[in-house]
Amino acid sequence: MALTGAGISVPSGIPDFRTPGTGLWENVDPMEVAHIDAFHADPARFWSFYRPRFAELRSKAPNRAHAALAELERRGLIQAVITQNIDRLHRAAGSKRVIEVHGSIETSSCTSCEASFSMASLDGLFGDDGVAECSACCGKVKPDVVLFGEFLPEAAMEEATALCEAADLVICVGSSLEVYPVAGLPSAALNRGARLAIITQGLTPYDPDATVKLEGDVIEELEAVLAELPASSASQPSL
Ligand code: ZN
């Protein structure tokens, strides 16, 4: 299994949340714009923050660290990627089984009738007030990303937990592993005897439990790992 966070998308030009100078929350209080209550109370303000952010995310391309994880899946060496990122770059890089536990910018949904809208059709839903309105029922349309104050998608978390419990190894990339419930996934794996490899700059609460901790650039570290592994799981020597 691989478990990824904001750090894997930094080389794609997507700032992580709290890096001084570039972090998304440097100049804005997340509770004022990214909370579900803020969305309902002032959707125009919500969208004035998110609309340009989504437009920027849509312009980003996956980097070689995303490609390395897609390649590990192609070789049969990892089963899936669990990600906290909403940028859909794992899929763009070719990963097939991606569990987006914080949702994705790929779709948005009506909060009244649950109609679903693609990223491409979202732009056409905005009125002069800067709020995205459902074309079927005029309800408020919300991106399918998990906001503060919302629960994580239950099915995605169940799938992620089951995969971690069955894994031999969980490779955690670019996540500080501090935000629950995702931060509980490495312990679910450890409790079932899996090993942890952490590729993240800075400390994580799981560093003492990790078999391997790498602090370098995510692209360099993942490509170095890839270079040492067999081209397909079928050619792995039997031990
Ligand atoms: Zn609707």
Side-chain angles (χ1 to χ4, degrees):
M1 287 304 309
L3 172 61
T4 71
I8 197 168
S9 293
V10 169
S12 291
I14 299 172
D16 67 12
F17 299 103
R18 297 179 193 278
T19 302
T22 59
L24 184 63
W25 304 135
E26 182 86 341
N27 298 311
V28 61
D29 177 356
M31 293 305 161
E32 282 185 22
V33 290
H35 196 284
I36 184 64
D37 295 343
F39 168 80
H40 286 297
D42 192 349
R45 173 146 195 235
F46 173 88
W47 279 115
S48 73
F49 176 77
Y50 269 102
R51 202 177 171 190
R53 168 159 160 75
F54 284 3
E56 199 189 332
L57 284 181
R58 281 159 67 171
S59 73
K60 302 297 184 188
N63 65 63
R64 281 153 45 207
H66 295 107
L69 291 183
E71 174 63 13
L72 285 176
E73 185 184 15
R74 195 193 62 76
R75 293 185 191 182
L77 295 169
I78 61 171
Q79 290 193 10
V81 177
I82 301 166
T83 187
Q84 297 170 283
N85 301 337
I86 61 166
D87 55 32
R88 92 225 137 88
L89 292 183
H90 283 298
R91 291 185 198 280
S95 285
K96 301 286 183 239
R97 190 168 179 188
V98 182
I99 301 151
E100 292 158 317
V101 289
H102 290 177
S104 152
I105 62 168
E106 191 72 40
T107 55
S108 298
S109 299
C110 174
T111 53
S112 299
C113 77
E114 297 182 4
S116 179
F117 300 95
S118 70
M119 205 162 59
S121 65
L122 180 64
D123 269 334
L125 302 178
F126 284 94
D128 293 339
D129 58 358
V131 175
E133 195 177 276
C134 176
S135 52
C137 79
C138 300
K140 279 184 283 190
V141 172
K142 186 187 110 28
D144 292 336
V145 301
V146 178
L147 303 178
F148 291 103
E150 286 191 299
F151 291 109
L152 268 56
E154 204 172 328
M157 274 310 292
E158 277 175 14
E159 187 182 6
T161 304
L163 282 163
C164 284
E165 286 177 349
D168 305 308
L169 171 70
V170 178
I171 309 169
C172 305
V173 185
S175 172
S176 57
L177 302 174
E178 284 176 323
V179 180
Y180 280 84
V182 172
L185 291 173
S187 17
L190 285 167
N191 291 343
R192 299 295 182 97
R195 287 181 291 177
L196 283 190
I198 299 176
I199 307 178
T200 292
Q201 289 168 3
L203 297 175
T204 86
Y206 287 103
D207 290 357
D209 300 312
T211 304
V212 176
K213 170 76 193 284
L214 300 172
E215 294 254 8
D217 174 82
V218 283
I219 292 176
E220 286 173 18
E221 301 284 23
L222 278 172
E223 289 192 338
V225 167
L226 208 53
E228 294 295 321
L229 291 168
S232 76
S233 56
S235 62
Q236 264 180 314
S238 50
L239 298 171

